[in-house]
Amino acid sequence: MIYIESLQNNKIKRLVHWIKKSSLRKKDQIFLVEGEREIQRAIKSGYHLNELFLDEENQKNINLPAEKAFFCSKEIFKKLVVRSGTVKALAVFRRPNRTLDNIQLPKKPVILILDGIEKPGNVGALMRTANAVSVDAVIFSSLKCDPLSPYSVRNSLGGIFNTPWFEANRIDVIKFVLESNLKCFLMDLNGADFNFEQNLNEAYAIVLGSEDYGISNEWSRIAAEKVKIPMDGIVDSLNVSVAGAIILYEFRRQRKNFGK
């Protein structure tokens, strides 16, 4: 058992840098996962565990690979996690490189495209829903945040690990949509109310844009239908993760019904 009680320990100093800088995590091809449940789900989904850091108080009560574990004093561990006090494990995983060249789809897929989203918490919430409804793929298109940040992983409840996801820039994603002959919904405040009676049993992509700026004008290159969730009150929009969940569950409802 290796015990760490100094903030000057090289492993701890490296962890602190990773926590503060998403660019450094990407450069070093790693991501961080907090919480025993989320770590177990990452391992079960085939992600490669590099290192594990545990709160010293949790030596006997955790079901994780002990051979890769380092035990930290309580004071040090508090400085390493977002959910201080409730989390007793922090893991470093190898970051996979998933491009559009790796994507494999069924005949009539449902693809969720997250384009330019800025908040990792929203990415995580959408990945949680995407996993719940079993979308065929999620594409991270020119995101303004790290989709594998601790905030995203936390909000996904680890669902991000069990959902096929891929990363690309917007131009390549638009090209992919065109070449794949996907019908496309662009979620847009200026779009028409989404028609819940239409037949969704075809190959579709659903594009959700930036929280502040919406869908990029570059998406005008494709023949897509701009839609929004019908709103009856004084507010004119929903959080992007809520709007995405409504659309995804309508796809799930119809696909389940058509399968009977």
Side-chain angles (χ1 to χ4, degrees), residues 29-47:
Q29 296 183 310
I30 64 93
F31 65 97
L32 306 175
V33 180
E34 293 183 8
E36 182 177 0
R37 175 185 57 189
E38 288 82 356
I39 293 170
Q40 288 175 339
R41 289 177 176 176
I43 294 172
K44 186 176 181 180
S45 300
Y47 286 76

Side-chain angles (χ1 to χ4, degrees), residues 28 62 64 72 93 105 116 120-121 133 135 143 203 211 214 236 238 246:
D28 292 341
I62 200 158
L64 292 169
C72 303
F93 282 90
L105 298 171
V133 303
V135 300
L143 289 188
E211 296 93 336
D236 62 356
L238 296 171
I246 292 171

Side-chain angles (χ1 to χ4, degrees), residues 178-236:
L178 289 170
E179 292 177 349
S180 300
N181 295 316
L182 297 167
K183 289 192 172 184
C184 192
F185 288 127
L186 303 179
M187 300 298 293
D188 190 293
L189 284 177
N190 297 315
D193 283 353
F194 185 78
N195 177 13
F196 289 89
E197 302 301 320
Q198 64 188 303
N199 188 335
L200 301 177
N201 194 28
E202 298 185 55
Y204 270 100
I206 305 157
V207 184
L208 298 170
S210 160
E211 296 93 336
D212 288 338
Y213 304 107
I215 294 290
S216 166
N217 290 333
E218 291 178 273
W219 284 96
S220 61
R221 295 174 49 193
I222 68 174
E225 185 178 353
K226 291 185 177 182
V227 297
K228 67 175 189 272
I229 302 299
M231 307 288 291
D232 295 328
I234 62 172
V235 298
D236 62 356

Side-chain angles (χ1 to χ4, degrees), residues 33-242:
V33 180
E34 293 183 8
E36 182 177 0
R37 175 185 57 189
E38 288 82 356
I39 293 170
Q40 288 175 339
R41 289 177 176 176
I43 294 172
K44 186 176 181 180
S45 300
Y47 286 76
H48 184 271
L49 175 65
N50 289 351
E51 295 175 317
L52 181 64
F53 296 85
L54 303 175
D55 187 321
E56 63 178 340
E57 296 182 349
N58 222 31
Q59 295 183 28
K60 298 180 180 179
N61 303 318
I62 200 158
N63 185 25
L64 292 169
E67 68 275 9
K68 295 191 176 182
F70 299 88
F71 292 92
C72 303
S73 69
K74 187 175 182 178
E75 291 305 312
I76 288 179
F77 193 82
K78 284 197 304 184
K79 298 180 182 297
L80 301 178
V81 294
V82 174
R83 291 179 286 172
S84 178
T86 61
V87 171
K88 303 298 181 181
L90 172 68
V92 181
F93 282 90
R94 181 187 301 161
R95 186 187 186 99
N97 180 30
R98 297 181 177 176
T99 68
L100 295 178
D101 293 332
N102 307 123
I103 198 168
Q104 295 182 344
L105 298 171
K107 186 176 180 180
K108 296 180 179 180
V110 176
I111 298 173
L112 178 64
I113 299 174
L114 308 184
D115 183 73
I117 289 181
E118 301 157 13
K119 298 178 181 178
N122 282 333
V123 173
L126 283 161
M127 292 302 291
R128 180 175 178 175
T129 302
N131 183 257
V133 303
S134 297
V135 300
D136 296 296
V138 177
I139 299 175
F140 301 138
S141 167
S142 295
L143 289 188
K144 300 293 180 61
C145 65
D146 179 8
L148 289 173
S149 79
Y151 294 98
S152 177
V153 171
R154 177 185 64 185
N155 274 18
S156 80
L157 295 185
I160 192 170
F161 305 130
N162 188 239
T163 305
W165 59 263
F166 306 88
E167 291 183 288
N169 64 61
R170 182 178 297 117
I171 297 301
D172 288 340
V173 175
I174 291 172
K175 180 181 177 183
F176 170 82
V177 171
L178 289 170
E179 292 177 349
S180 300
N181 295 316
L182 297 167
K183 289 192 172 184
C184 192
F185 288 127
L186 303 179
M187 300 298 293
D188 190 293
L189 284 177
N190 297 315
D193 283 353
F194 185 78
N195 177 13
F196 289 89
E197 302 301 320
Q198 64 188 303
N199 188 335
L200 301 177
N201 194 28
E202 298 185 55
Y204 270 100
I206 305 157
V207 184
L208 298 170
S210 160
E211 296 93 336
D212 288 338
Y213 304 107
I215 294 290
S216 166
N217 290 333
E218 291 178 273
W219 284 96
S220 61
R221 295 174 49 193
I222 68 174
E225 185 178 353
K226 291 185 177 182
V227 297
K228 67 175 189 272
I229 302 299
M231 307 288 291
D232 295 328
I234 62 172
V235 298
D236 62 356
S237 66
L238 296 171
N239 177 276
V240 65
S241 65
V242 175

